[in-house]
Amino acid sequence: MSDLDATTPRVFLVRHGETEWTKNGRYTGITDIELTPVGINQVTATGTLLVGPGKLIDSAMIARVWVSPRKRAQHTCQLIFSGAEDIADKITLTEDIAEWDYGDYEGLVVGEIRARRKEKGLDGEREWSIWRDGCEGGEYFSPMLCRGRFLDGCSQRLANW
């Protein structure tokens, strides 16, 4: 990595590894699901490949790490940085980047959600879309979008540290 690249501010997004619910397509938001052994291997391999001196993510160059408070996200963070020193004081748990609140659809697959909505007389002319219709008892796209704006303010947040 060139010296210029090493000093350029960057933001990396890391999604948690596999869980039982991601394996079978269940919507997983606020439910605290652990990583599967495969998920642990996925994250460990990613950390080995990407994190360390001279690699894409050099922990010595990290200013902040924001992590969802969900166990799967925290475990992912722990595994990604398992060989890194002095990272713990840079980690902040925040709901600002937490997963979507799927409300009544938490733990369901798309077919189950569409069947429930059909029984209620919803979506008569078109099938349910999370982006357009949101989640009963949970979030719609706009609150999720506001949390996504968290990234817009990363440079300001870093300037305040």
Side-chain angles (χ1 to χ4, degrees):
M1 177 181 321
S2 73
D3 289 341
L4 178 60
D5 288 340
T7 60
T8 302
R10 300 180 216 183
V11 174
F12 296 97
L13 299 177
V14 178
R15 186 174 190 271
H16 62 79
E18 178 189 81
T19 68
E20 284 299 324
W21 282 12
T22 59
K23 252 178 28 176
N24 54 34
R26 297 193 178 282
Y27 280 90
T28 315
I30 60 173
T31 303
D32 244 345
I33 306 273
E34 298 285 343
L35 298 175
T36 64
V38 169
I40 291 169
N41 289 338
Q42 290 169 334
V43 174
T44 302
T46 299
T48 300
L49 182 68
L50 299 180
V51 179
K55 295 184 180 179
L56 181 64
I57 303 172
D58 184 340
S59 61
M61 302 297 293
I62 291 177
R64 299 294 319 151
V65 176
W66 291 284
V67 180
S68 162
R70 306 300 172 262
K71 289 178 192 173
R72 61 190 174 272
Q74 291 181 58
H75 194 190
T76 295
C77 181
Q78 174 191 15
L79 292 169
I80 286 281
F81 293 111
S82 63
E85 295 181 20
D86 300 326
I87 195 79
D89 61 331
K90 298 177 183 180
I91 297 172
T92 301
L93 298 181
T94 178
E95 287 286 344
D96 288 341
I97 58 168
E99 294 78 348
W100 195 311
D101 179 358
Y102 294 110
D104 299 345
Y105 304 156
E106 183 82 6
L108 302 178
V109 296
V110 171
E112 293 170 323
I113 295 167
R114 289 183 174 153
R116 282 187 180 193
R117 290 179 64 88
K118 186 176 182 177
E119 287 173 10
K120 292 181 177 184
L122 303 170
D123 309 329
E125 294 183 20
R126 57 185 177 188
E127 289 189 325
W128 170 79
S129 165
I130 193 167
W131 306 108
R132 181 187 59 239
D133 305 314
C135 301
E136 291 180 275
E139 290 182 296
Y140 287 77
F141 183 67
S142 56
M144 189 64 190
L145 182 62
C146 289
R147 278 208 308 280
R149 290 191 183 121
F150 173 83
L151 296 174
D152 290 343
C154 277
S155 60
Q156 183 62 41
R157 285 179 182 82
L158 289 173
N160 292 331
W161 289 99

